[in-house]
């Protein structure tokens, strides 16, 4: 059996996150462990954020991100806030520099407990997202769900926030769409060779929108930080909104600001639920005070 690693079960606006402490060791959380933890109702999660020792000078930690289907993700905004809160509780720091497979990102814990994560710069080129075929204008691509002559959703804006996102703009209530049925079809549509996170967005003013997201590799979630960033950027890029937007997700409110320096900053809360130890190879786990299951 592998040496156990500490973890904290947390959430970012109901986006279920496991923060795994993999510092001081060279192994990684396996897809099998992720699937086992996801299958247990007590540890069910949307993403695992595995904190490793830094790989690059100037960064404090390398963070590996896994979805609940065991696949890897390049970005997770709500998860990064959970990582910040877990590390701040340990070391009292308020400024953080991380590395992920998508690059280096900075984060800040504010006095009011909210956390801002600089999610980097958005990419709009069809190869960056990526799409399977060329689209010169990714503000609205040809893609639809539902009957050909009466599509339920169509013409999404597509954006890479390190990970692929499609934003479908709607006028009706976001809850009137069967995202649990349409989401997986769009996530796995051949136009997205690496699959995609699927968001329905209703703009409610120049500075606000309501969103629901079907996450690649995780399904319906109460919030998705990178999707909030993608929706905010796409809203501004298509002239629907200003560059600083409040987004209402099922789990609560997030603020996204697309700065003049092209960086996208996501701000919101993070919440600790419980702590434990787990085997990164198998996913066998125990609460801090309990015997192993
Ligand atoms: N919940 C995350 C996004 C998670 C990654 C996504 N499922 C993917 O595979 O790209 C967030 O808060 O950003």
């Amino acid at each position: 059996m592998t040496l156990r690693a500490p973890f904290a079960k947390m959430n970012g606006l109901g986006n279920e996150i496991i923060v795994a402490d993999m510092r001081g060791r060279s192994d990684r959380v396996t897809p099998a462990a992720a699937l086992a933890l996801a299958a247990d109702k007590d540890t069910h999660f949307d993403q695992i954020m595995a904190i490793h020792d830094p790989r690059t000078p100037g960064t404090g930690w390398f963070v590996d991100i896994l979805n609940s289907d065991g696949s890897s993700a390049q970005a997770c905004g709500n998860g990064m806030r959970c990582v910040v809160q877990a590390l701040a509780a340990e070391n009292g720091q308020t400024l953080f520099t991380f590395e992920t497979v998508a690059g280096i990102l900075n984060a800040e814990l504010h006095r009011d407990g909210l956390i801002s994560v600089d999610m980097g710069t958005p990419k709009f080129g069809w190869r960056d997202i990526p799409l399977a075929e060329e689209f010169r204008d990714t503000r609205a691509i040809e893609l639809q769900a539902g009957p050909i002559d009466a599509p339920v959703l169509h013409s999404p804006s597509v954006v890479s926030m390190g990970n692929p996102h499609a934003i479908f703009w709607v006028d009706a209530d976001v809850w009137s769409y069967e995202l649990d049925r349409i989401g997986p079809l769009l996530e796995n549509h051949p136009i997205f060779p690496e699959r995609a996170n699927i968001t329905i967005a209703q703009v409610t003013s120049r500075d606000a929108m309501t969103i629901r997201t079907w996450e690649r590799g995780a399904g319906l979630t109460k919030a998705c930080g990178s999707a909030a960033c993608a929706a905010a950027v796409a809203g501004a890029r298509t002239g629907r909104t200003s560059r600083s937007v409040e987004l209402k997700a099922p789990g609560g409110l997030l603020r996204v600001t697309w700065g003049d320096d092209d960086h996208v900053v996501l701000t919101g809360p993070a919440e600790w639920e419980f702590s434990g130890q787990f085997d990164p190879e198998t996913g066998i786990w125990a609460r801090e005070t309990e015997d192993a299951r």
Side-chain angles (χ1 to χ4, degrees), residues 257-285:
T257 302
W258 185 16
D260 294 335
D261 61 358
D262 201 24
H263 280 241
V264 182
V265 176
L266 169 73
T267 302
E271 185 182 31
W272 175 89
E273 295 172 14
F274 67 89
S275 297
Q277 305 257 330
F278 81 115
D279 179 340
E281 194 182 334
T282 63
I284 292 172
W285 69 280

Side-chain angles (χ1 to χ4, degrees), residues 46 79 117 182 255 289:
D46 300 317
V117 180
I182 306 169
R255 162 121 344 238
T289 54

Side-chain angles (χ1 to χ4, degrees), residues 241-257:
T241 60
S242 71
R243 288 175 75 105
S244 184
V245 178
E246 187 174 71
L247 297 105
K248 187 175 168 197
L253 298 176
L254 288 165
R255 162 121 344 238
V256 174
T257 302

Side-chain angles (χ1 to χ4, degrees), residues 71-275:
S71 65
S72 292
Q74 303 90 342
C76 179
N78 292 331
M80 288 312 301
R81 294 201 312 278
C82 294
V83 171
V84 164
Q85 195 183 86
L87 290 172
E90 172 189 299
N91 64 18
Q93 256 179 264
T94 55
L95 295 174
F96 300 82
T97 301
F98 300 101
E99 186 179 12
T100 68
V101 286
I104 289 172
L105 52 91
N106 297 308
E108 180 175 1
L109 170 63
H110 302 288
R111 278 164 180 255
D112 61 3
L114 292 181
I115 296 157
S116 293
V117 180
D118 179 342
M119 298 285 287
T121 58
K123 303 278 181 295
F124 305 113
W126 69 275
R127 285 191 186 84
D128 296 319
I129 288 158
L131 300 176
E133 63 183 83
E134 178 173 357
F135 278 94
R136 288 188 177 204
D137 186 351
T138 52
R139 285 175 296 188
I141 67 163
E142 234 173 81
L143 174 64
Q144 65 176 52
I148 227 152
D149 49 351
V152 180
L153 296 172
H154 64 91
S155 315
S157 302
V158 288
V159 182
S160 171
M161 285 305 311
N163 55 350
H165 288 273
I167 313 297
F168 288 85
W169 303 105
V170 296
D171 294 324
D173 184 346
V174 295
W175 292 98
S176 63
Y177 296 86
E178 291 178 286
L179 190 53
D180 54 338
R181 192 180 58 75
I182 306 169
L185 303 175
L186 291 167
E187 172 194 359
N188 293 293
H189 191 282
I191 194 69
F192 301 119
E194 294 178 12
R195 303 189 285 160
N197 297 288
I198 306 299
T199 294
I200 299 176
Q202 182 195 26
V203 172
T204 49
S205 78
R206 288 287 299 163
D207 309 312
M209 61 175 89
T210 303
I211 57 171
R212 284 178 72 208
T213 301
W214 174 271
E215 281 194 20
R216 175 180 71 163
L220 277 183
T221 58
K222 288 198 180 144
C224 175
S226 53
C229 295
V233 161
R237 190 171 178 238
T238 57
R240 289 177 167 89
T241 60
S242 71
R243 288 175 75 105
S244 184
V245 178
E246 187 174 71
L247 297 105
K248 187 175 168 197
L253 298 176
L254 288 165
R255 162 121 344 238
V256 174
T257 302
W258 185 16
D260 294 335
D261 61 358
D262 201 24
H263 280 241
V264 182
V265 176
L266 169 73
T267 302
E271 185 182 31
W272 175 89
E273 295 172 14
F274 67 89
S275 297

